[in-house]
Amino acid sequence: MKILVNNTRYTHLSPAEMGLYSRHLLIPAIGIKGQLALKNAHVLIVGAGGLGCPILLYLAAAGVGWIGIIDADHIDVSNVHRQVLYRVADKGKNKADIAKSRLQALNPYIEIETYIEKLSVDNAEALISRYDIVVDGTDNFVAKYLINDACYLNDKPLVYGAIMQFEGQVSVFNVRDENGARGANYRDLYTEPPDAALAPNCAEAGVLGILPGIIGCFQANEVIKLITGLGRPLSGRLLVYDALDAATTELSFSASLDNPLRDPNWSHVLEEMPVVCSSAIASDQFVMTLEEFNDLIHEYTVIHLIDVRELHERELISIGGEHIPLAEIESIDNECLMDVPIILYCQSGVRSQRAASLLANKFPHSQIFSLKGGISAFLASDLYPEMMVNLVLCQCGGLRTCH
């Protein structure tokens, strides 16, 4: 495979860089030529979370000269067990800003640019066009399809990764072979997203803390291979890793004529995938913040509190209320819905917002809310002790549950 990056902005390494990258330079297949390719490379990482952290750490340490980070999220304590760039003391700070600070301390000889925003149809094409390679560190299907389509439109290789619980996936999309033919992409692998109920994100389904480290390192390795021209990229191949069995499985796939991106009538205009994923909340409709919830339980003596998670989740931890899983939420009868607030909660606030939407359609005159951030945000909040006291007092004073 030929070297992907042919920029010549940098033509030599400083003595300090020679020392830092000395173990790379000892490898004949890398040497000065390969290290300069790394130094001249521009790589964009979309998402500075579980996958993004190891990707960023190892690409920065390897000497990738220009790294872009786009992420609008803030650090939560529940991130720290897998997002190893961050500390508990970083709670509330922007991920991209903290990542940049830590990476610059790791390697002061590279440039890092941050974008404190979400990738969208409005900014994706302009942003991606500036980079040689894009790396997907996201956890939702809306973003993954958008990244894939923007990379296809701009003819940029995309290094894909995905994780859930104990399993991860890695592949490389949109790579041109020696004959110039463009390789398969995400839409060849997954024509359409799965049903939202079957595709929870890490906040909903959980993830083994070390798994994103493993998958992220696989992704970083693919980036380095693409930049230096070493090895064979995972183009047309999906690597599936099972952390419990320590086993890898490789599945082959190819470019499909049914891919809408290859449709001659495709307008070449980016559009957001019209799906509602379990990891993507479309709006703040029906959402109640923790502060508002705390005020409410302190003010009202009667509320309806409903846990829409599954039973095994509730058995681990609960803040009370009636247990009605999301799949059964529409079975609630009208007698339950009196003129008092109905608060629904789940692990991260995604399923409860879906439940709130379903109930609001059924009972449009009721006060129905989803607890923003769910139990994860509840436990991490500075208001946690006060809210627990208020919940106990509220229940003693007449908290109502639906039967």
Side-chain angles (χ1 to χ4, degrees), residues 176-303:
R176 292 190 179 272
D177 62 21
E178 296 293 341
N179 299 318
R182 196 191 301 226
N185 63 65
Y186 189 63
R187 288 183 182 269
D188 295 308
L189 182 60
Y190 298 114
T191 305
E192 295 180 348
D195 182 83
L198 301 176
N201 67 351
C202 293
E204 293 288 307
V207 63
L208 181 68
I210 199 171
L211 180 64
I214 296 169
I215 300 302
C217 284
F218 273 123
Q219 290 180 270
N221 184 55
E222 292 301 309
V223 173
I224 291 172
K225 287 160 57 182
L226 288 173
I227 293 171
T228 60
L230 295 175
R232 183 166 66 106
L234 280 169
S235 179
R237 300 184 291 152
L238 179 70
L239 180 71
V240 181
Y241 177 75
D242 184 332
L244 294 182
D245 287 339
T248 57
T249 304
E250 186 177 300
L251 306 174
S252 297
F253 63 101
S254 59
S256 169
L257 293 178
D258 294 331
N259 189 322
L261 300 183
R262 297 191 183 88
D263 187 332
N265 296 318
W266 180 45
S267 65
H268 291 78
V269 175
L270 284 179
E271 296 180 354
E272 190 170 275
M273 192 71 174
V275 296
V276 179
C277 301
S278 65
S279 55
I281 298 178
S283 71
D284 286 335
Q285 190 177 22
F286 310 118
V287 169
M288 174 174 287
T289 67
L290 288 171
E291 292 77 10
E292 291 169 336
F293 181 56
N294 190 38
D295 291 341
L296 189 71
I297 59 180
H298 181 73
E299 178 182 352
Y300 285 90
T301 57
V302 179
I303 66 172

Side-chain angles (χ1 to χ4, degrees), residues 306-360:
I306 304 174
D307 181 354
V308 303
R309 299 173 301 157
E310 298 301 313
L311 179 60
H312 70 275
E313 297 175 273
R314 184 175 174 84
E315 290 175 341
L316 290 175
I317 188 169
S318 170
I319 59 173
E322 179 73 3
H323 177 226
I324 306 177
L326 175 58
E328 303 172 17
I329 200 68
E330 290 185 287
S331 66
I332 296 177
D333 59 43
N334 196 25
E335 291 181 3
C336 170
L337 303 178
M338 304 170 65
D339 292 330
V340 295
I342 300 163
I343 315 300
L344 304 118
Y345 72 91
C346 62
Q347 190 64 35
S348 68
V350 176
R351 284 172 289 176
S352 57
Q353 189 183 25
R354 173 63 176 159
S357 178
L358 291 171
L359 286 183

Side-chain angles (χ1 to χ4, degrees), residues 60-218:
V64 171
W66 188 280
I67 293 175
I69 309 170
I70 178 167
D71 196 310
D73 287 344
H74 293 80
I75 298 164
D76 184 87
V77 292
S78 65
N79 302 146
V80 177
H81 95 293
R82 67 195 182 282
Q83 299 179 18
V84 293
L85 274 171
Y86 314 127
R87 308 291 180 263
V88 171
D90 297 326
K91 175 186 172 183
K93 299 177 183 177
N94 186 272
K95 289 183 179 180
D97 285 339
I98 296 300
K100 178 178 180 177
S101 176
R102 300 264 156 78
L103 295 172
Q104 292 282 201
L106 174 67
N107 188 343
Y109 309 111
I110 63 174
E111 300 290 334
I112 300 173
E113 188 162 4
T114 58
Y115 308 92
I116 315 301
E117 56 188 312
K118 290 183 178 180
L119 195 74
S120 69
V121 293
D122 297 321
N123 62 20
E125 188 176 355
L127 183 58
I128 285 174
S129 66
R130 300 177 55 191
Y131 290 85
D132 302 307
I133 301 170
V134 179
V135 191
D136 178 5
T138 65
D139 68 350
N140 71 83
F141 289 101
V142 172
K144 290 185 182 297
Y145 281 96
L146 176 60
I147 297 166
N148 176 78
D149 295 357
C151 285
Y152 186 90
L153 188 62
N154 288 273
D155 200 12
K156 302 291 184 179
L158 170 60
V159 179
Y160 158 79
I163 53 173
M164 189 174 76
Q165 294 188 347
F166 302 106
E167 183 177 292
Q169 300 179 352
V170 187
S171 190
V172 177
F173 304 136
N174 209 38
V175 175
R176 292 190 179 272
D177 62 21
E178 296 293 341
N179 299 318
R182 196 191 301 226
N185 63 65
Y186 189 63
R187 288 183 182 269
D188 295 308
L189 182 60
Y190 298 114
T191 305
E192 295 180 348
D195 182 83
L198 301 176
N201 67 351
C202 293
E204 293 288 307
V207 63
L208 181 68
I210 199 171
L211 180 64
I214 296 169
I215 300 302
C217 284
F218 273 123

